[in-house]
Amino acid sequence: MTVKNKIKVVIPAAGAGKRLFPHTFTKPKPMVYIAGKPIIGHILDRMIDVEPEEIIMVVGYKKEQIISYVDKNYSGIFNIRYVDQEEQLGLGHSIYVARDEIGDSNIMIALGDMIFKAGYSEFYKQYLTNGECAASIGVREVDDPKKYGIVELEGKYIKRLEEKPARPSSNLGIAGVYFIKETAVLLSIIEEMINKNTRTRGEYQLTDALQEMVNRGYRLKTFQVSSWYDCGHPESLLETNRVLLDEKEDIDHVHQIKDSVIIQPVAIGDNVTIINSVIGPHASIASDSYIESSIISDSVIGSRSHISKVNLQRSIVGDDASVHGKHNSLNIGDSSSIEF
Ligand code: G1P
């Protein structure tokens, strides 16, 4: 269902994505490929229903790749503006650098770490029904609260927020989607933090700025975020690939295929060649790659890679990579038992 509204969306996408090294050595995290497209593509697809007035993307690290992909694929769908965050000084700072573009509009901040199954219009509806509040923050119970910003509630309202606490007092994790009504207040708090150099772990944290809103008597609420797929940690990237492929409705047709079996679901890009191989289930292979005599499942293979004679499971291979195995040749007598 389409939700009619006027809200600006801010997508902080300037970070180096250190947790996803080595993949982010050569590309920014939003451009890491899973289930048929870069992470940012999955995120923007889920924003179409929100019909935002404008999307403000805060870019920095390897920004040309993001701008070129997003302009090519989404400029006909959204009004998109790019803002530079030259120094990576934290999430709070990334919102502050977009202050001129934000103006006094209500904003939705959407982080690029998570892909939400429901899509953002679902959250927008929850935010609208949250009643009067200065901001509304998507949360979810998490097993490892030390890895997230967490919130503590008192009744319906947020009492306390803390960024990646050493001793978490709650397991309600900040999910990476925020709706801000009192935008001017938030921006002025961040400006004060910058002027006073108030940092946590070296960065101007959005979580700290939201806590300061609470300190000043503004009422902040939460809304529940259901299934999310974490793209910010390498261990969960393959799981995210699997879940997104399971949801995929269209079947990719592979043209250059010879003597091979494709086990759905898979995502196969343009101009991929597959010879004498078994591909899938849950394999994502980006455009222009060449696969020969291999078995690949539960894996993500980048563009222009060359793979032969290997059996890959739970593997992530970047762009322009080569992976070549060799076939074994045996001369084994009766009743032998061999294990490789
Ligand atoms: C950011 C936020 C954190 C939130 C997390 C969700 O942290 O600062 O509060 O829980 O995103 O992904 P980051 O993952 O950028 O370190």
Side-chain angles (χ1 to χ4, degrees), residues 19 29 90-92 111-114 116 137-138 142 145 147-150 161-164 172-178 201 203-208 210 228 230-233:
R19 287 189 293 240
K29 184 170 68 182
L91 203 50
L111 307 190
D113 281 355
M114 301 289 174
F116 299 104
I137 300 172
V142 292
K147 282 195 346 201
Y148 298 90
I150 57 110
L161 302 97
E162 195 178 353
E163 183 63 19
K164 305 196 182 76
L172 264 193
I174 297 176
V177 50
Y178 316 70
R201 275 192 298 275
E203 296 188 342
Y204 300 110
Q205 303 286 352
L206 179 58
T207 306
D208 292 345
L210 294 166
W228 65 4
D230 187 351
C231 303
H233 301 90

Side-chain angles (χ1 to χ4, degrees), residues 20-74:
L20 288 186
F21 280 168
H23 302 286
T24 46
F25 276 130
T26 47
K27 53 168 79 105
K29 184 170 68 182
M31 290 304 294
V32 169
Y33 169 90
I34 44 167
K37 58 180 72 172
I39 291 171
I40 190 68
H42 292 286
I43 289 173
L44 291 173
D45 286 349
R46 286 164 168 73
M47 251 171 221
I48 294 172
D49 278 1
V50 176
E51 295 185 3
E53 182 185 338
E54 180 169 73
I55 292 186
I56 302 158
M57 295 200 72
V58 183
V59 291
Y61 180 72
K62 301 195 184 296
K63 64 179 177 183
E64 303 73 23
Q65 295 180 38
I66 300 180
I67 295 172
S68 137
Y69 174 79
V70 171
D71 276 352
K72 183 166 169 231
N73 294 282
Y74 294 93

Side-chain angles (χ1 to χ4, degrees), residues 52-110:
E53 182 185 338
E54 180 169 73
I55 292 186
I56 302 158
M57 295 200 72
V58 183
V59 291
Y61 180 72
K62 301 195 184 296
K63 64 179 177 183
E64 303 73 23
Q65 295 180 38
I66 300 180
I67 295 172
S68 137
Y69 174 79
V70 171
D71 276 352
K72 183 166 169 231
N73 294 282
Y74 294 93
S75 59
I77 302 174
F78 299 114
N79 295 324
I80 303 167
R81 282 208 268 178
Y82 301 94
V83 178
D84 273 313
Q85 186 190 21
E86 274 152 25
E87 279 181 284
Q88 257 89 89
L89 296 177
L91 203 50
H93 182 260
S94 77
I95 306 303
Y96 185 71
V97 298
R99 62 194 177 284
D100 291 343
E101 288 70 17
I102 292 171
D104 58 3
S105 300
N106 290 359
I107 53 170
M108 174 175 94
I109 302 169

Side-chain angles (χ1 to χ4, degrees), residues 18 51 97 272 293:
K18 290 194 189 110
E51 295 185 3
V97 298
V272 169
S293 304

